[in-house]
């Protein structure tokens, strides 16, 4: 299967559909504009260091802009699939910023592939190869697709290690009894 960065890059053009900021993808693993913070779903508390469960709803907030990964029923500008955009300010947005982590096992493991399914419209976060021209030549359109496929697998390329929370450590300990 194809592998993509776990955090798509924020683009610098406005989308044709909603006018919100487009989200684009790059294949370079060292792109400093591709960092996204994993947070609890809208209006939920998610203490730092808490492992992310498969099936959990999350938000992905772009570190550079403070905007959330967002989707809604607008056509994406290049492929005509569902638009994925960057929305909100300082991590504040709305319920359309919530994505469900689709993975195997109990928790999202750093080395495993993962899918993100939009909690409100059920599309999968995807990249299929459509590329923008000027001014962001070569960057790929990130969009939502109704069907799961090889184009919606994502993998963490790098990140910051957080010590597991005490609750998680206790849960692991008791699970082994």
């Amino acid at each position: 299967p194809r592998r993509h960065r776990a955090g798509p890059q924020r683009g610098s053009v406005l989308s044709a559909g909603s006018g919100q900021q487009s989200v684009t993808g790059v294949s370079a693993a060292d792109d400093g504009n591709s960092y996204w913070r994993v947070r609890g779903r809208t209006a939920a508390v998610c203490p730092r260091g808490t492992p992310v469960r498969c099936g959990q709803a999350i938000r992905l907030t772009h570190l550079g802009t403070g905007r959330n990964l967002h989707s809604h029923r607008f056509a994406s500008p290049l492929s005509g699939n569902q638009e994925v955009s960057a929305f909100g300010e300082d991590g504040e947005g709305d319920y359309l910023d919530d994505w469900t982590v689709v993975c195997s096992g109990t928790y999202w493991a750093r080395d495993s592939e993962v899918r993100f399914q939009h909690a409100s419209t059920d599309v999968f976060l995807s990249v299929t190869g459509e590329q923008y021209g000027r001014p962001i030549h070569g960057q790929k359109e990130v969009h939502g697709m109704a069907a799961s496929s090889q184009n919606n697998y994502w993998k963490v390329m790098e990140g910051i290690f957080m010590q597991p929370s005490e609750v998680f450590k206790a849960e692991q300990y008791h699970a082994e009894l």
Side-chain angles (χ1 to χ4, degrees):
R2 291 173 61 177
R3 295 179 189 194
H4 305 289
R5 294 185 55 82
Q9 174 179 326
R10 170 192 60 84
S12 59
V13 298
L14 294 179
S15 64
S18 68
Q20 293 178 359
Q21 193 163 24
S22 293
V23 175
T24 63
V26 296
S27 56
D30 61 349
D31 179 63
N33 199 28
S34 293
Y35 292 106
W36 294 78
R37 180 177 169 201
V38 178
R39 303 174 66 202
R41 67 177 169 76
T42 303
V45 175
C46 181
R48 177 182 250 172
T50 303
V52 177
R53 290 184 175 274
C54 296
Q56 179 179 342
I58 63 165
R59 276 181 296 166
L60 294 168
T61 302
H62 187 254
L63 288 182
T65 64
R67 293 188 173 138
N68 298 322
L69 191 67
H70 181 90
S71 191
H72 46 197
R73 297 191 191 278
F74 281 88
S76 60
L78 298 182
S79 68
N81 288 304
Q82 187 165 302
E83 181 182 83
V84 170
S85 60
F87 177 77
E89 297 294 329
D90 298 322
E92 297 300 321
D94 64 23
Y95 71 99
L96 293 172
D97 302 341
D98 296 342
W99 296 83
T100 302
V101 177
V102 179
C103 53
S104 58
T106 305
Y107 297 101
W108 174 11
R110 178 184 169 140
D111 294 332
S112 65
E113 291 181 333
V114 63
R115 288 182 171 143
F116 301 104
Q117 188 170 24
H118 193 245
S120 295
T121 63
D122 294 329
V123 297
F124 291 93
L125 184 66
S126 303
V127 174
T128 53
E130 292 83 4
Q131 293 187 15
Y132 287 97
R134 300 179 103 194
I136 52 174
H137 179 72
Q139 293 185 20
K140 296 180 180 181
E141 178 188 75
V142 174
H143 51 257
M145 293 183 65
S148 63
S149 73
Q150 68 190 29
N151 298 311
N152 30 67
Y153 281 105
W154 298 83
K155 190 170 183 179
V156 173
M157 300 304 290
E158 58 185 306
I160 300 170
F161 175 75
M162 299 282 190
Q163 288 290 346
S165 67
E166 293 301 318
V167 173
F168 176 68
K169 289 177 187 176
E171 180 181 303
Q172 290 296 92
Y173 175 75
H174 293 295
E176 295 173 0
L177 293 177

